Amino acid sequence: METANAIGSTAPAPAQVRGSVSSGTLGRHLARRLVEVGVRDVFSVPGDFNLTLLDHLVAEPELNLVGCCNELNAGYAADGYARARGVGACVVTFTVGGLSVLNAIAGAYSENLPVICLVGGPNSNDYGTNRILHHTIGLPDFSQELRCFQTITCTQAVVNNLEDAHELIDTAISTALKESKPVYISISCNLPGIPHPTFCREPVPFFLVPKVSNELGLEAAVEATADFLNKAVKPVIVGGPKLREVMAQQAFMEFAEASGFPIAVMPSGKGLVPEHHPHFIGTYWGAVSSSLCGEIVESADAYVFVGPVFNDYSSVGYSLLIKKEKAVIVQPNRVTIGNGPSLGWVFMAEFLSALAKKLKKNSTALENYNRIYVPPGIPLKREQNEPLRVNVLFKHIQAMLSGDTAVIAETGDSWFNCQKLRLPENCGYEFQMQYGSIGWSVGATLGYAQAAKDKRVIACIGDGSFQVTAQDISTMIRCGQRSIIFLINNGGYTIEVEIHDGPYNVIKNWDYTGLVNAIHNGEGKCWTAKVRNEDELTKAIETATWEEKDSLCFIEILVHKDDTSKELLEWGSRVAAANSRPPNPQ
């Protein structure tokens, strides 16, 4: 992954901007800043308030504008792009575009992704007047969009004056990278092309000051944690999703190597820890953990949770058998040791690297795991032309994985089936567990594939989710992407069925391959197949990976509506129990 910080980096050589756009403009400055922090593709939907801004982004030779079918997908694409590249960006128009992209930006906030959301705003002369503008709700107050974004971004900049535009833009972009959260920047439609003295030269190289721990706090945290863990008999390590936001994966592995403890991941941390490592024991997800992983973690007398998020989904309806007094919780800037001290301004990567030097090696829990581990059992048998089962599908997906692939799992049963895949070295893995917005994966696949052109994305998407955001298959084809999408058609919202069933979970069936063929319309490279049994699946995968290796491949998998993973059945019943708790007595 490319990092977005560009700490101490120098600016790229000045680039000549096409056309008559002056280098001393707001639009030119913004375009260069995006390039400097690592953005190469910006996902957009045009509207009259952002057209001039788009002209300046198009004029920047190192930026590529990717037009999306709607704002929600543009936001999801920026989310997927940020996962692969470290930062993402989207551009929409005022209010009608801004309010459409909100859901995607909220998801990026929940997953700690730095996404720069640019909005073309009203003419600067219209602020503070009593005018009513189009694309608004018909009141002379233009602040509805800003107020919505205030709750789902870490900072907001309304640029309607050239005097402070430079400062507002730089502060917003820096804040996105420092806090690993989305930001909102609204730019008045009449400002991007106007020269101003503050933009009269090439931007000074972008720089972020590294965060440094409180030295005494770091020392105290390391000593207390080392004392706590060195007394333990069978400690374990569990990696969580916040490893990504502070880029602490390397320090995590340094700590894991030095300790000898077994390594598990929380479900939302999958893909952030190398699964080919000999200490890796699987996913810790309470009652739906990988085989024997849950037992090893929950029977440990000490566990180090690094960057965890404990919510009702990751805790399987609050049913984890974890005790606070046995846990060391390492958050991005705080360490809490059992029921004892909690020390702030101690940064994760520094802490883990320092702790690695103070630990006694202890492989007891790993030896226990290896002693009781049973390899995967009897190969799945099937009758001739037997309808395809989901577990057979994922057996074949497992065989497709390599360091040149990445998996994107849509909200739904794909969460559980993809969680069981063993990732080879350098194989990417993404899903949106905290926010869990169905349809996220279509846009995220577009964005991730655009950022990670060296990998072939394998996306597993349910039919219900696909119906929400299907249009941007069009953009994938237009961008020449070669992802493989497995559309799992089981006739409804299966994850909802297992939480609480009702007629609303059944959806209208589509001819999904027919739809994608219509979107393809003979332009670009796209190949589709319908699969009903294992022989057809084997043939489809072979075609997708050989003859059609340079095409977008869309494979519709027809399965029984009740063909779900055992983990979803267990998880769904526990989440349903948590959702249906009666009110406390008043």
Side-chain angles (χ1 to χ4, degrees):
M1 181 192 294
E2 292 197 24
T3 59
N5 291 38
I7 294 172
S9 69
T10 55
Q16 295 302 311
V17 179
R18 296 192 297 275
S20 58
V21 179
S22 162
S23 63
T25 63
L26 182 159
R28 161 73 172 152
H29 176 78
L30 176 60
R32 290 305 303 156
R33 277 293 186 243
L34 291 175
V35 168
E36 277 195 299
V37 299
V39 175
R40 295 294 179 274
D41 300 88
V42 180
F43 302 92
S44 66
V45 178
D48 59 333
F49 284 123
N50 71 11
L51 298 177
T52 309
L53 176 60
L54 294 180
D55 284 342
H56 286 77
L57 299 181
V58 168
E60 168 51 57
E62 293 186 63
L63 272 186
N64 175 42
L65 209 62
V66 179
C68 295
C69 297
N70 60 46
E71 290 87 0
L72 177 62
N73 278 340
Y76 285 154
D79 168 315
Y81 192 90
R83 289 167 185 268
R85 201 171 176 91
V87 62
C90 58
V91 189
V92 298
T93 196
F94 187 60
T95 308
V96 290
L99 299 191
S100 289
V101 82
L102 274 175
N103 189 51
I105 300 302
Y109 189 97
S110 77
E111 301 272 324
N112 301 299
L113 297 167
V115 170
I116 300 162
C117 183
L118 300 165
V119 177
N123 186 292
S124 61
N125 297 299
D126 290 325
Y127 283 91
T129 67
N130 207 33
R131 293 170 180 157
I132 293 175
L133 293 183
H134 70 288
H135 287 345
T136 69
I137 62 170
L139 298 175
D141 169 13
F142 308 150
S143 67
Q144 293 85 23
E145 178 184 86
L146 170 63
R147 282 183 281 142
C148 289
F149 273 98
Q150 281 171 336
T151 58
I152 58 164
T153 54
C154 64
T155 195
Q156 307 80 38
V158 177
V159 180
N160 55 19
N161 185 323
L162 285 171
E163 293 295 328
D164 59 359
H166 187 288
E167 180 186 351
L168 289 173
I169 289 168
D170 283 8
T171 300
I173 291 173
S174 298
T175 306
L177 298 178
K178 284 189 287 190
E179 299 196 17
S180 199
K181 294 279 190 186
V183 293
Y184 164 86
I185 305 175
S186 169
I187 295 177
S188 287
C189 59
N190 60 324
L191 298 185
I194 303 174
H196 190 268
T198 55
F199 302 119
C200 68
R201 51 175 288 171
E202 189 68 21
V204 170
F206 186 82
F207 179 79
L208 283 180
V209 177
K211 288 179 177 176
V212 180
S213 297
N214 170 348
E215 203 171 314
L216 293 175
L218 175 62
E219 192 178 318
V222 168
E223 290 296 334
T225 305
D227 185 53
F228 184 84
L229 294 176
N230 287 337
K231 286 177 183 171
V233 177
K234 43 183 182 176
V236 298
I237 306 168
V238 185
K242 292 187 180 180
L243 275 167
R244 182 212 301 276
E245 74 176 82
V246 287
M247 292 179 251
Q249 293 98 314
Q250 190 177 331
F252 177 90
M253 290 315 299
E254 200 180 316
F255 161 55
E257 288 276 0
S259 71
F261 306 167
I263 309 162
V265 287
M266 297 185 77
S268 48
K270 188 174 176 71
L272 301 177
V273 172
E275 299 188 7
H276 64 281
H277 194 280
H279 294 184
F280 185 78
I281 64 169
T283 299
Y284 173 62
W285 201 352
V288 294
S289 298
S290 304
S291 177
L292 304 174
C293 177
E295 291 83 350
I296 292 294
V297 172
E298 292 182 342
S299 67
D301 58 340
Y303 11 74
V304 185
F305 281 88
V306 183
V309 172
F310 296 107
N311 61 21
D312 51 339
Y313 275 13
S314 67
S315 69
V316 197
Y318 313 113
S319 66
L320 298 185
L321 301 178
I322 291 294
K323 293 183 169 58
K324 186 174 184 291
E325 64 269 19
K326 293 183 183 179
V328 175
I329 308 293
V330 185
Q331 293 293 12
N333 59 3
R334 176 169 291 276
V335 177
T336 304
I337 301 114
N339 286 326
S342 183
L343 297 138
W345 211 251
V346 173
F347 294 108
M348 186 185 287
E350 277 186 296
F351 169 76
L352 294 174
S353 293
L355 180 61
K357 299 176 178 68
K358 297 278 188 179
L359 288 178
K360 294 177 190 167
K361 204 150 196 156
N362 183 343
S363 57
T364 304
L366 184 62
E367 289 161 15
N368 289 347
Y369 173 79
N370 290 333
R371 198 174 290 116
I372 62 174
Y373 177 70
V374 179
I378 304 163
L380 294 162
K381 291 183 180 176
R382 44 104 182 184
E383 302 299 322
Q384 191 67 27
N385 291 324
E386 176 189 318
L388 188 61
R389 286 175 284 152
V390 171
N391 53 15
V392 174
L393 165 65
F394 278 89
K395 177 186 75 172
H396 285 271
I397 291 175
Q398 176 69 68
M400 298 171 71
L401 302 186
S402 72
D404 298 323
T405 60
V407 176
I408 291 190
E410 176 57 86
T411 300
D413 198 24
S414 291
W415 271 7
F416 302 90
N417 288 305
C418 289
Q419 196 67 224
K420 289 184 277 190
L421 296 171
R422 192 69 178 242
L423 304 179
E425 188 172 2
N426 294 323
C427 179
Y429 185 91
E430 298 295 343
F431 79 135
Q432 191 198 52
M433 186 172 188
Q434 172 60 42
Y435 202 56
S437 183
I438 65 167
W440 160 86
S441 64
V442 177
T445 297
L446 163 64
Y448 192 100
Q450 195 63 18
K453 292 188 171 73
D454 57 326
K455 291 189 186 294
R456 195 163 194 198
V457 177
I458 298 169
C460 301
I461 307 176
D463 51 339
S465 297
F466 184 73
Q467 288 196 6
V468 179
T469 48
Q471 308 95 311
D472 271 281
I473 291 284
S474 166
T475 313
M476 295 178 199
I477 297 169
R478 193 148 55 100
C479 290
Q481 294 184 359
R482 54 195 186 94
S483 302
I484 301 173
I485 295 172
F486 288 100
L487 187 284
I488 301 166
N489 183 354
N490 56 12
Y493 298 121
T494 304
I495 192 168
E496 313 293 9
V497 168
E498 303 311 334
I499 295 173
H500 183 96
D501 202 5
Y504 31 76
N505 289 328
V506 179
I507 60 175
K508 170 76 176 69
N509 194 32
W510 292 1
D511 176 1
Y512 293 98
T513 53
L515 172 70
V516 172
N517 288 333
I519 291 171
H520 175 209
N521 197 26
E523 296 175 5
K525 292 183 176 179
C526 177
W527 176 81
T528 65
K530 266 190 208 296
V531 165
R532 295 174 181 81
N533 58 50
E534 190 174 8
D535 289 334
E536 291 176 356
L537 175 65
T538 305
K539 188 178 176 186
I541 290 174
E542 190 177 329
T543 303
T545 49
W546 291 103
E547 297 100 288
E548 299 292 343
K549 67 180 188 299
D550 295 322
S551 302
L552 181 80
C553 296
F554 184 90
I555 303 172
E556 181 182 353
I557 310 290
L558 290 106
V559 295
H560 193 278
K561 68 182 181 67
D562 294 322
D563 185 357
T564 62
S565 64
K566 73 179 183 65
E567 289 81 6
L568 174 56
L569 298 176
E570 172 80 21
W571 178 89
S573 62
R574 288 173 183 257
V575 169
N579 286 353
S580 59
R581 286 166 296 159
N584 289 328
Q586 297 300 309

